[in-house]
């Protein structure tokens, strides 16, 4: 399935991505990260060895069994090295002995002891370099140096043009999770995978970052092309999109050490060696804190005005504000009583953040003030997504599990959340509106996606919303819709869902969408003339 999609604006991706290389400092860094994952694997193995009574399996039996297997393997290896035929479990009949089937595959040796197949190897001519071999002619570059056709061809295949758009897709297939980086060529309507990145856990959200992070950050080069990914793990991984075949992320936000504060578990048993062991199905809960998340990261939002800020929402009911220059948590907020599933920074006021939760409320708060001073609105079901209206930032949209979309005025906060009154309410789908997106360049154009497998386009006018068109994109249950952020291609929509397929829909083929775009162009011209 595809859990998330997001576009990279044109002009940020490197024309020729670099190949991942390991130096001493990088080797030391990935060794530490690998050790952390190894420690996690050992803990999981130790927990798996606890039976239903909470006692360990007999470790001595496991060692003895392994020893028997190793001895048997050593005996087989001795037979191979000695050249002696391995004993057959089934005796060969008299009528087959004349064919000597036991030595059927054995090569006859020559007088000097070498195998007959390679007996003439001394007569072969070889050269230390390809330049000395008269039968090999390598192409030359302009400066007379030989070039490798294969490397040059691969380099051209990895090239990203200024007219190309990158699409980030988080995908899970069986037990394998990864992020695919697609290239979309609009002129050819061509979409293909450029490269992919392996992820340690199921991805829940992805956010593009335009600031350079981690080990590649320098004072004179702040623009970057990175992706932040939230998973079922309590940490946030940040990957460099301009590097191919990278082994580990450039940075990890959150707690990467083993020193975690946990709530003591009273149901603890001891094994026969006196060690404390956790009883089966009795997990230990980590306490929510101000430094890092302790549960899955469900939402991410990058601040486009203060580019070093990244907000994250988690199943631990907290919202964290990360400083990307130091890779630390600047502040932590507790706005909600349930999982925080949606975040959106205000397009014009860089300190205001919109948050949505499974507690059926949406909060708009100034992050510079204490977390007790905020505005709250309630809806009829669990919040799925919340976004600001880019064309009038006094308003925002909210989609819910009940299939509805609400439109609120942020200036009119109710005295209590239950008294919230939206400007209008739209029953967009029969099932949950799992995703929606607001077009940044075409006023009033939004797209909604649902688990009913439908994608719908809506025109929002002063009189209210009206549906433009509806389509089944063949992606199964729709989990992500995303408008391309570049103005010249603003009518392009990416759609992903439960079938593990991503589709790109050029919506300008629809007449109503074209009319909406033409009206927006006319309004822009009138504003310029004024």
């Amino acid at each position: 399935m595809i859990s998330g999609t997001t576009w990279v604006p044109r002009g940020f991706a490197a024309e020729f991505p670099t190949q991942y290389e390991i130096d001493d400092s990088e080797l030391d860094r990935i060794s530490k990260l690998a050790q952390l994952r190894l420690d996690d694997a050992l803990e999981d193995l130790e927990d798996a060895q606890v039976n239903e009574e909470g006692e360990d399996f007999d470790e001595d039996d496991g060692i003895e069994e392994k020893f028997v297997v190793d001895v048997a393997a050593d005996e087989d290896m001795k037979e191979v090295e000695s050249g002696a035929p391995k004993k057959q479990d089934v005796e060969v009949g008299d009528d087959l002995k004349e064919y000597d089937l036991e030595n059927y595959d054995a090569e006859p040796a020559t007088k000097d002891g070498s195998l007959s197949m390679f007996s003439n190897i001394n007569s072969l001519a070889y050269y230390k370099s390809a330049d000395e071999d008269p039968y090999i002619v390598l192409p030359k570059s302009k400066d007379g140096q030989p070039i490798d056709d294969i490397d040059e061809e691969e380099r051209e295949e990895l090239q990203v043009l200024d007219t190309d758009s990158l699409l980030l897709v988080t995908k899970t297939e069986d037990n394998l999770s990864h992020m695919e980086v697609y290239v979309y060529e609009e002129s050819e309507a061509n979409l293909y995978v450029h490269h992919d990145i392996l992820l340690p856990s199921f991805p829940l959200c992805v956010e593009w970052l335009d600031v350079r992070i981690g080990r590649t950050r320098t004072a004179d080069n702040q623009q970057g092309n990175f992706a932040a990914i939230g998973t079922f793990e309590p940490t946030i991984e940040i990957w460099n999109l301009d590097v191919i075949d990278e082994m580990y992320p450039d940075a990890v936000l959150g707690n990467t050490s083993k020193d975690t504060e946990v709530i003591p578990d009273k149901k603890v048993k001891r094994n026969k060696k006196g060690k404390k062991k956790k009883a089966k199905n009795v997990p230990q809960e980590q306490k929510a804190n101000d430094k890092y998340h302790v549960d899955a990261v469900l939402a991410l939002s990058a601040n486009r005005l203060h580019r070093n800020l990244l907000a994250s929402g988690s199943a631990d009911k907290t919202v964290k504000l990360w400083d990307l220059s130091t890779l630390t948590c600047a502040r932590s907020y507790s706005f909600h009583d349930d999982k925080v599933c949606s975040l959106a920074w205000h397009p014009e006021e860089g300190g205001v953040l919109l948050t949505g939760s499974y507690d059926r409320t949406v909060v708009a708060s100034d992050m510079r003030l204490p977390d007790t001073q905020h505005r709250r609105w309630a809806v009829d079901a669990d919040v799925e997504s919340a976004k600001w209206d880019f064309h009038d930032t006094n308003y925002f949209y909210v989609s819910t599990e009940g299939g509805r979309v609400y439109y609120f005025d942020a200036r009119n906060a109710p005295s209590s959340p239950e008294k919230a009154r939206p400007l209008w309410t739209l029953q967009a789908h029969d099932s949950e509106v799992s995703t929606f997106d607001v077009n940044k360049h075409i006023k009033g154009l939004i797209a909604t996606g649902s688990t009913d497998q439908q994608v719908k386009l809506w025109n929002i006018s002063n009189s209210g919303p009206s549906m433009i068109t509806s389509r089944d994109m063949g992606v199964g249950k729709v989990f992500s819709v995303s408008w391309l952020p570049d103005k010249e291609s603003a009518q392009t929509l990416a759609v992903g869902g439960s079938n593990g397929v991503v589709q790109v829909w050029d919506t300008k083929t629809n007449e109503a969408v074209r009319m909406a775009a033409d009206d927006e162009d006319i309004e822009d011209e009138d504003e310029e003339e004024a």
Side-chain angles (χ1 to χ4, degrees), residues 10-237:
R10 294 171 184 169
F12 284 88
E15 181 179 4
F16 294 101
T18 59
Q19 190 70 28
Y20 180 71
E21 296 181 359
I22 300 180
D23 53 15
D24 292 340
S25 60
E26 175 66 4
L27 183 61
D28 181 65
R29 186 180 74 90
I30 65 176
S31 296
K32 294 178 180 178
L33 291 174
Q35 184 61 44
L36 291 173
R37 293 188 179 180
L38 178 60
D39 293 341
D40 292 337
L42 292 176
E43 286 186 0
D44 293 339
L45 178 61
E46 185 178 0
D47 293 340
Q49 291 176 342
V50 179
N51 59 14
E52 294 183 357
E53 288 76 18
E55 297 180 355
D56 287 345
F57 293 114
D58 193 347
E59 297 177 358
D60 296 336
D61 294 341
I63 296 175
E64 181 179 356
E65 181 180 356
K66 182 179 183 300
F67 177 77
V68 172
V69 174
D70 291 343
V71 170
D74 291 340
E75 293 295 334
D76 292 341
M77 183 57 67
K78 290 180 181 179
E79 290 182 358
V80 174
E81 293 176 351
S82 63
K86 189 176 180 180
K87 294 182 180 180
Q88 300 290 335
D89 295 335
V90 181
E91 295 183 359
V92 180
D94 295 337
D95 54 342
L96 298 177
K97 286 183 178 180
E98 60 178 310
Y99 298 105
D100 194 17
L101 295 179
E102 293 182 355
N103 299 319
Y104 179 78
D105 293 330
E107 289 288 342
T110 58
K111 293 181 180 180
D112 58 355
S114 61
L115 296 177
S116 59
M117 182 183 297
F118 305 103
S119 59
N120 61 344
I121 193 171
N122 292 330
S123 63
L124 297 178
Y126 66 94
Y127 300 89
K128 294 182 178 180
S129 66
D131 295 334
E132 299 178 4
D133 194 333
Y135 297 101
I136 297 180
V137 179
L138 295 176
K140 303 290 184 179
S141 62
K142 294 181 180 180
D143 56 359
Q145 298 296 325
I147 60 176
D148 192 334
D149 283 341
I150 298 179
D151 292 343
E152 189 68 23
E153 183 177 347
E154 291 179 351
R155 177 179 168 86
E156 292 179 358
E157 290 179 353
L158 294 176
Q159 183 178 11
V160 179
L161 303 178
D162 293 337
T163 56
D164 294 338
S165 299
L166 292 187
L167 176 63
L168 310 182
V169 177
T170 53
K171 185 176 182 179
T172 299
E173 188 173 0
D174 295 331
N175 293 325
L176 180 65
S177 297
H178 57 282
M179 180 177 67
E180 294 177 335
V181 181
Y182 284 81
V183 170
Y184 177 63
E185 300 173 337
E186 184 181 14
S187 60
E188 304 293 334
N190 184 28
L191 181 71
Y192 64 91
V193 177
H194 186 269
H195 65 280
D196 63 349
I197 296 172
L198 190 64
L199 301 177
S201 182
F202 187 96
L204 299 172
C205 54
V206 57
E207 178 76 343
W208 174 72
L209 304 175
D210 63 349
V211 60
R212 191 166 291 277
I213 296 167
R215 59 194 177 91
T216 59
R217 181 183 178 92
T218 58
D220 57 345
N221 186 6
Q222 297 298 320
Q223 178 173 302
N225 184 27
F226 289 76
I229 301 175
T231 68
F232 274 114
E233 300 292 331
T235 56
I236 303 168
E237 293 189 349

Side-chain angles (χ1 to χ4, degrees), residues 1 84 104 159 217 236 239 267 314 352 371 396 510-511:
M1 63 172 291
Y104 179 78
Q159 183 178 11
R217 181 183 178 92
I236 303 168
W239 294 82
K267 297 182 180 180
S314 171
V352 177
D371 57 2
F396 62 90
N510 184 279
E511 183 178 359

Side-chain angles (χ1 to χ4, degrees), residues 398-419:
V398 180
S399 69
T400 67
E401 190 180 23
R404 295 183 177 182
V405 176
Y406 295 84
Y407 192 62
F408 289 100
D409 188 342
R411 297 167 296 183
N412 298 328
S415 57
S416 63
E418 294 75 16
K419 295 181 180 180

Side-chain angles (χ1 to χ4, degrees), residues 401-468:
E401 190 180 23
R404 295 183 177 182
V405 176
Y406 295 84
Y407 192 62
F408 289 100
D409 188 342
R411 297 167 296 183
N412 298 328
S415 57
S416 63
E418 294 75 16
K419 295 181 180 180
R421 295 293 180 267
L423 274 69
W424 51 258
T425 302
L426 170 65
Q427 186 67 46
H429 296 267
D430 294 333
S431 59
E432 63 187 84
V433 182
S434 51
T435 178
F436 81 98
D437 198 16
V438 182
N439 197 298
K440 297 181 180 180
H441 302 287
I442 303 177
K443 184 177 181 180
L445 180 61
I446 68 171
T448 61
S450 171
T451 53
D452 63 7
Q453 304 186 10
Q454 296 292 315
V455 177
K456 296 182 180 181
L457 303 183
W458 304 87
N459 182 27
I460 310 300
S461 61
N462 294 331
S463 59
S466 60
M467 190 176 72
I468 299 175

